[in-house]
Amino acid sequence: MNYLRITFAVALTACLGGTAGEALSAPTLLRGGKVLVGDGSVVANADVLIEGDRFAFVGAHEQKDAPADAIVVDVAGKTIIPGLIAAHAHIGQVDGLENGSPNYTRTNILRQLRQYEAYGVTTLGSLGLNAPLFYELRDKLHAGELPGADVYGADRGIGVVDGAPPAGAVKVGEEQLDRPATPEAARAAVRASKERGADLIKIWVDDFRGSLPVKMSPEIYAAVIDEAHAQGLRVASHVYYLEDAKRLAKLNVDVLAHAVRDQPLDAELIKLLNDNGIIYIPTIGVDESAYIYADRPDWMSSDFFQHALQPALREQFDSDGWREGILANRKLADSRKAVVMNQQNALALHRAGVRLGFGSDSGANPLRIPGFAEHRELQLLCEAGMTPLEALQTATVNAAAALGLDDRGAIAAGKLADFVILDADPTDDVQNFQSIESVWHRGKKVSGAVEQFQP
Ligand SMILES: [Zn+2]
């Protein structure tokens, strides 16, 4: 092989020479790293060739000649993982401590998408509550005309009159949520979503632990799923109770976007999920976020965590009054139990061969911190008993499948070159997913260590 060989430092200088994300004219060859492909396999001492926005070759070193003009980047000792895919997230809901429709702005959403990307999350599924602005931003992000994580979305989403999602907590505008009263109205809402350009459909089947007077009726969600499938759209459902999960699975819902948390799941649900190829996203961090920041674990002082915080949120976490208020809430015991139940159920499903997807419902409220929440979710999956490699698969190949995408999610020839270079190997320790050296999106380096990022 006689292509140009330059040092890692020189290559980085070359990458950073232009504005962030500027195209490199030559192909890039990442040499000597350990590649965690995303499908559970590993390539040691790998050559990863990037041409344009895609991987052109991924394999053992010197299996294949690289183009003579390739820029060679020495990544020996480093680990390369696919960009993470958060298949259950929300954009434009939160800014600082505020939650509500005024936050669905271009500036705020692009700020969030840059944060996701800096933390290695290169694609999001925004599962509902999207305003019309979503489509303008999505199309530009798809085209690479805006910086930040790429997005797919479930349009407004379909909720319940006087029910979920609770209007008190989810303060969205009229253009951000449908609450159809009849199966016919539900079908019409699905068709309207499709016309606006929805990538999938979201429904809320829950009463938020009995706090809402009604749940979506089976007639309505059956109509939604049937109509969505007729329109070629996948359906992701918010869920909590085992019985609802079974009814949804029997109707061939595509994704359960939360975990079953009311009781241990059983063989019937496992069979339904496996038989129908339904992807289950545990979102363990949803319940944990209710108490973990008041618990003040040591990692809250880490740079990795602190750089994910907007100033108002940092102040809140530092406030003893806020902390005492949270810890005094008796419902916290339920949240702690839900995390344990969730982890047990997720591991049981995983061991039974059900495909787990990935997401933390980040961006839905101020405590679900973009980018950080996804790293915390990887840790919670490992704490549940998965290996780091298995957790990574949920967040890459499986999460791509949850969103119906086959052009990303793995470090493999032909896939979009969205990836993260890590200084340390997460197969040794899940913590090492946080050792981000750089993030690359569509074949271009877009950011370095998170310590260089300010929200
Ligand atoms: Zn959600």
Side-chain angles (χ1 to χ4, degrees), residues 350-384:
H350 173 66
R351 295 214 164 129
V354 172
R355 254 195 311 181
L356 299 192
F358 182 79
S360 58
D361 207 358
S362 58
N365 73 39
L367 300 176
R368 316 257 183 81
I369 303 160
F372 179 79
E374 282 69 24
H375 282 270
R376 183 66 192 147
E377 192 73 19
L378 289 170
Q379 293 180 325
L380 290 166
L381 289 166
C382 291
E383 205 180 278

Side-chain angles (χ1 to χ4, degrees), residues 48 81 96 109 111 135 162 191 197 230 238 247 349 356 390 413 455:
V48 176
I81 61 169
I109 291 170
R111 176 188 65 76
Y135 294 104
D162 298 325
R191 288 193 295 270
H238 175 114
R247 286 193 201 102
L349 288 174
L356 299 192
E390 290 169 335

Side-chain angles (χ1 to χ4, degrees), residues 1-228:
M1 286 204 257
N2 62 346
Y3 41 80
L4 176 66
R5 180 161 198 127
I6 56 176
T7 66
F8 188 53
V10 172
L12 280 184
T13 308
C15 296
L16 295 171
T19 54
E22 189 175 292
L24 292 170
S25 51
T28 302
L29 179 71
L30 305 176
R31 158 151 296 171
K34 178 175 180 178
V35 172
L36 311 187
V37 174
D39 61 0
S41 65
V42 176
V43 184
N45 191 19
D47 276 355
V48 176
L49 181 67
I50 301 149
E51 289 178 352
D53 61 0
R54 301 211 176 222
F55 296 113
F57 172 79
V58 180
H61 175 51
E62 290 187 344
Q63 268 183 358
K64 187 173 183 288
D65 282 345
D69 62 342
I71 293 172
V72 179
V73 182
D74 182 357
V75 291
K78 303 197 185 287
T79 303
I80 307 173
I81 61 169
L84 303 176
I85 298 174
H88 186 167
H90 297 274
I91 57 173
Q93 307 300 308
V94 176
D95 190 7
L97 300 178
E98 301 301 320
N99 212 333
S101 56
N103 298 328
Y104 209 97
T105 65
R106 179 187 172 94
T107 303
N108 189 42
I109 291 170
L110 292 179
R111 176 188 65 76
Q112 293 176 324
L113 295 177
R114 273 293 298 130
Q115 176 159 336
Y116 279 110
E117 188 182 64
Y119 277 77
V121 180
T122 49
T123 300
L124 292 187
S126 179
L127 287 196
L129 314 175
N130 295 297
L133 172 64
F134 172 81
Y135 294 104
E136 185 192 322
L137 297 178
R138 178 194 67 176
D139 293 350
K140 287 187 174 149
L141 288 156
H142 283 356
E145 292 168 10
L146 287 172
D150 199 7
V151 290
Y152 289 80
D155 196 69
R156 300 173 177 181
I158 297 178
V160 185
V161 180
D162 298 325
V170 178
K171 299 171 205 149
V172 292
E174 273 186 19
E175 287 186 316
Q176 288 177 268
L177 182 64
D178 289 313
R179 295 185 189 269
T182 64
E184 293 69 33
R187 285 181 184 274
V190 171
R191 288 193 295 270
S193 292
K194 168 80 176 179
E195 257 169 48
R196 286 188 291 267
D199 298 299
L200 70 166
I201 297 292
K202 166 74 177 285
I203 51 177
W204 279 265
V205 180
D206 191 13
D207 61 6
F208 287 70
R209 293 184 203 164
S211 68
L212 297 168
V214 284
K215 261 199 294 197
M216 184 179 282
S217 73
E219 293 71 30
I220 290 198
Y221 59 75
V224 170
I225 293 169
D226 185 60
E227 186 67 35

Side-chain angles (χ1 to χ4, degrees), residues 265-329:
L265 39 75
D266 60 13
E268 185 189 8
L269 181 65
I270 290 171
K271 184 167 175 6
L272 282 165
L273 295 177
N274 271 331
D275 287 354
N276 295 342
I278 296 164
I279 296 179
Y280 176 102
I281 305 179
T283 65
I284 304 165
V286 163
D287 291 293
E288 197 205 42
S289 67
Y291 60 83
I292 192 68
Y293 302 117
D295 284 352
R296 288 192 179 153
D298 288 345
W299 49 254
M300 285 178 72
S301 58
S302 70
D303 283 347
F304 190 83
F305 178 70
Q306 288 291 324
H307 279 264
L309 303 181
Q310 288 183 275
L313 189 58
R314 183 178 300 117
E315 266 175 48
Q316 185 186 72
F317 289 156
D318 289 343
S319 154
D320 290 333
W322 173 80
R323 182 186 192 211
E324 283 156 22
I326 296 287
L327 292 176
N329 185 344

